[in-house]
Amino acid sequence: GYYDSVFLTMDTSDGVDESAAPVTAQVREAPLQKVVLGVGFTSDSGPRVSVDHIHNKMPILDWRAVSKFSYDKNTQLLNTEWRGLPENSGWHWFDLGEIKRENNAGTYTVDSARVRSGRAKTAGHIDRSLFLQYDYSMSKGVDPPPSASSISANWGWTGRYFDNAAAPTRGMGLAVEFGLGYTLLGERLPYTRAYGRWLGILPIGSADTPSGAARRPRLALRAEAGAVTAKDEAQIPQTQLFLTGGDTTVRGHS
């Protein structure tokens, strides 16, 4: 996100050693700040508006900040994420602050806040993260769950094994997360949270178009699983739990 474009030019003039030809890199820096405005509409939540702000060099910290505000009938969100430059080891610091209102549970509305701080690393096709997180939720409506807050230590790992990162035709991706938390309201109790998701892309033959180009159909398969383990008395924030139902998951029942 720090550059709009990068051009690489190799010297191919006569007399240049092909095995050691010099390469010139030209970069065009992105604007220091950028604002993106968005409008949309979905059949589930109606009209939607959003505002994104990017600052590539925050005062004092010199970190990159990406802030977002979005509003629709079901979800109102305001968050900001700050990221430091990668160190020689590849790891970088990051912080996140977020407040949200959701009305996806049907009978009650959830107001929540989240603060996260930790380190992350991207190396090739592997992403890793380690972070501490504070969550708070308060519900209003018909038969809402009690207010809750917690602090947790979390680890995340993502691996992408595709034949092409931009336009994959085969391969798989796997992401796992694990957290160990402690509730702060009501009876203070520990809990664990685990989540995993998998995406597989399988080629299912090929077909020629009238223009003679090859078209390669493929099948995408997706699986997700999550679990929170705790005593019944533990007041865990709603944002740490899992809600099933809708067109993107399996309809769940107690």
Side-chain angles (χ1 to χ4, degrees):
Y2 289 99
Y3 301 100
D4 277 343
S5 60
V6 179
F7 298 95
L8 299 177
T9 307
M10 184 172 64
D11 187 354
T12 58
S13 57
D14 294 339
V16 174
D17 182 0
E18 294 180 355
S19 63
V23 175
T24 302
Q26 296 174 294
V27 297
R28 178 183 298 161
E29 290 189 358
L32 181 63
Q33 297 189 61
K34 181 169 68 173
V35 176
V36 180
L37 306 177
V39 295
F41 180 88
T42 64
S43 58
D44 287 341
S45 55
R48 180 183 67 253
V49 296
S50 64
V51 181
D52 294 72
H53 177 260
I54 299 172
H55 198 306
N56 275 327
K57 193 175 183 181
M58 297 170 55
I60 303 176
L61 286 178
D62 290 343
W63 288 14
R64 185 171 190 258
V66 179
S67 304
K68 180 181 182 66
F69 168 78
S70 64
Y71 185 97
D72 62 37
K73 181 180 66 175
N74 293 330
T75 305
Q76 297 86 51
L77 169 71
L78 177 64
N79 71 13
T80 182
E81 183 173 7
W82 303 352
R83 287 182 176 268
L85 287 169
E87 302 166 357
N88 290 336
S89 62
W91 289 89
H92 68 268
W93 289 97
F94 70 90
D95 295 313
L96 170 74
E98 177 179 283
I99 55 176
K100 183 193 298 185
R101 168 170 289 180
E102 292 181 286
N103 186 23
N104 295 327
T107 61
Y108 56 85
T109 299
V110 178
D111 294 331
S112 64
R114 170 172 291 175
V115 178
R116 177 186 295 175
S117 182
R119 288 168 65 79
K121 178 180 181 179
T122 298
H125 62 281
I126 303 293
D127 294 348
R128 301 176 179 88
S129 62
L130 296 165
F131 57 91
L132 293 175
Q133 181 169 291
Y134 169 81
D135 287 273
Y136 173 81
S137 70
M138 178 178 63
S139 303
K140 302 176 182 178
V142 179
D143 193 24
S147 298
S149 67
S150 70
I151 188 169
S152 60
N154 300 269
W155 169 83
W157 181 93
T158 300
R160 303 176 184 87
Y161 303 91
F162 299 107
D163 60 343
N164 185 297
T169 60
R170 67 172 68 236
M172 59 166 281
L174 177 66
V176 292
E177 300 173 12
F178 181 79
L180 179 62
Y182 194 71
T183 60
L184 302 176
L185 291 180
E187 188 176 353
R188 299 192 173 187
L189 295 168
Y191 68 91
T192 61
R193 184 182 191 273
Y195 173 65
R197 62 186 184 272
W198 173 84
L199 171 68
I201 298 180
L202 304 174
I204 52 176
S206 62
D208 295 330
T209 64
S211 63
R215 179 171 57 86
R216 300 187 181 278
R218 48 197 179 273
L219 179 66
L221 304 172
R222 181 170 64 93
E224 292 183 81
V228 174
T229 305
K231 290 186 176 181
D232 292 340
E233 299 80 12
Q235 296 179 207
I236 301 174
Q238 291 295 297
T239 51
Q240 288 283 80
L241 303 178
F242 297 100
L243 180 69
T244 61
D247 60 357
T248 59
T249 181
V250 177
R251 181 68 65 181
H253 302 277
S254 60

